[in-house]
Amino acid sequence: MWRFRRGHFVRRIGLVLAAFFALTFVTSSLAAALISGAFGLGHRRGFAFTAGIAGLALLFFGFVAFGRAVRRTTQPLGEVMEAADRVAAGQYDVGVDERGSGEMRRLARSFNAMTERLRSSEEQRRNLLADVAHELRTPLSIIQGNTEAMLDGLYPADRPHLEPVLEEARVMARLLEDLRVLSTAEAGVLPLHRETVEPSQLVEDAAAAFRSEAESAGIDLSFRISGAVRPLDVDPVRIGEVLANLLSNALRATASGGTVIVSAEPWQGDVAVAFAVEDSGPGIPPEVLLHVFERFVKAGPSGGAGLGLAIAKSLVEAHGGEISVNSRPGRGTRMRFVLPAAER
């Protein structure tokens, strides 16, 4: 079907060109006849014959030249049409050769880039569905198993047996909420309630929220403000979530007796503010480091679903900032994100 459509398209172009040249030839012949009559050349048969032959020759060579030019255009265009039909049918692994005129090569490059993005998006969608199903399977199994056991009389419906069911329901709720925040942030539709806040306040609040957890784990948690940092025009709740995700990961990766530092400092003069969370943990393996901001990627055993850093990245970018990581095995990890300062 695709080859038939391409051939049909080329034939239509050819017919249009043939009609165009035929009309041009007829018009030129009439014009030559009128001119020869006006100048008294109509009685000269040799002139008329020569003009006719010349006109036919010009028509033939013009048709050949334009035919080749059209072929150079219609063949690549037909390939793009054929590939577009395949993409519409759900085949995202197609591509077209970059050939023909400059415009056609640019069209082919744009088409190949489009199919590559579609293929990547489709792969991410499938991976996301598989990861979500995997993450939901465990809590659902626990909830179902415990509930059935209590209904069958194997367990009493008391607090020790109901608490695990409630905890797994909370795990599912957190996972679904994380996915909601991540999807809305990546789509650029997450509402941000911006207000002017001091970076020092964000750092102090984040450290205070995790102080008791750090003390119970035997970890020294401290904060540091370097230099005069300008205020920020951000959503303090969302930036608090970013710091909370980074601190939670840092505390989870740090052994007893280790240190975790959360800090803020001016960046690039005073046009931005850089936040950082450093830990003295074992670091992130190099094979994982390149993917730490992707969904469901975990640097080690944890109780999370692997969405924290993906959410942090989306929230930082939603504020016009950027986030990065620096880590070496055995030398800890430093997570840093930079946000533009508020206008003066």
Side-chain angles (χ1 to χ4, degrees), residues 151-170:
L151 290 175
D152 294 338
L154 299 178
Y155 298 151
D158 53 9
R159 187 179 188 88
H161 292 93
L162 288 173
E163 282 184 345
V165 175
L166 180 59
E167 179 58 30
E168 295 303 325
R170 289 171 178 164

Side-chain angles (χ1 to χ4, degrees), residues 210-221:
F210 286 88
R211 183 79 63 192
S212 59
E213 180 179 340
E215 291 178 353
S216 62
I219 299 172
D220 180 19
L221 173 60

Side-chain angles (χ1 to χ4, degrees), residues 168-190:
E168 295 303 325
R170 289 171 178 164
V171 169
M172 292 178 60
R174 285 196 300 268
L175 174 61
L176 295 175
E177 175 62 18
D178 288 347
L179 287 171
R180 186 194 68 81
V181 172
L182 183 60
S183 61
T184 53
E186 290 180 344
V189 295
L190 180 69

Side-chain angles (χ1 to χ4, degrees), residues 24 75 81 102 105 108 131 135 143 167 188 213 219 224 227 236 250 255 310:
T24 302
Q75 282 190 343
M81 293 171 60
R105 290 196 298 270
D131 291 335
E135 293 295 331
I143 292 173
E167 179 58 30
E213 180 179 340
I219 299 172
R224 182 177 64 234

Side-chain angles (χ1 to χ4, degrees), residues 28-110:
S28 301
S29 301
L30 291 175
L34 291 175
I35 292 173
S36 63
F39 288 92
L41 300 175
H43 62 281
R44 299 183 181 181
R45 295 182 178 180
F47 173 81
F49 179 76
T50 303
I53 294 298
L56 287 174
L58 289 175
L59 177 65
F60 174 76
F61 287 112
F63 186 80
V64 171
F66 274 90
R68 293 184 62 182
V70 169
R71 185 177 180 182
R72 288 185 60 195
T73 301
T74 55
Q75 282 190 343
L77 185 59
E79 292 177 359
V80 173
M81 293 171 60
E82 178 181 338
D85 286 337
R86 293 182 177 178
V87 171
Q91 301 180 23
Y92 302 128
D93 57 344
V94 298
V96 294
D97 295 330
E98 298 179 11
R99 60 191 183 94
S101 63
E103 292 78 7
M104 291 307 304
R105 290 196 298 270
R106 186 162 61 249
L107 175 63
R109 283 196 297 269
S110 299

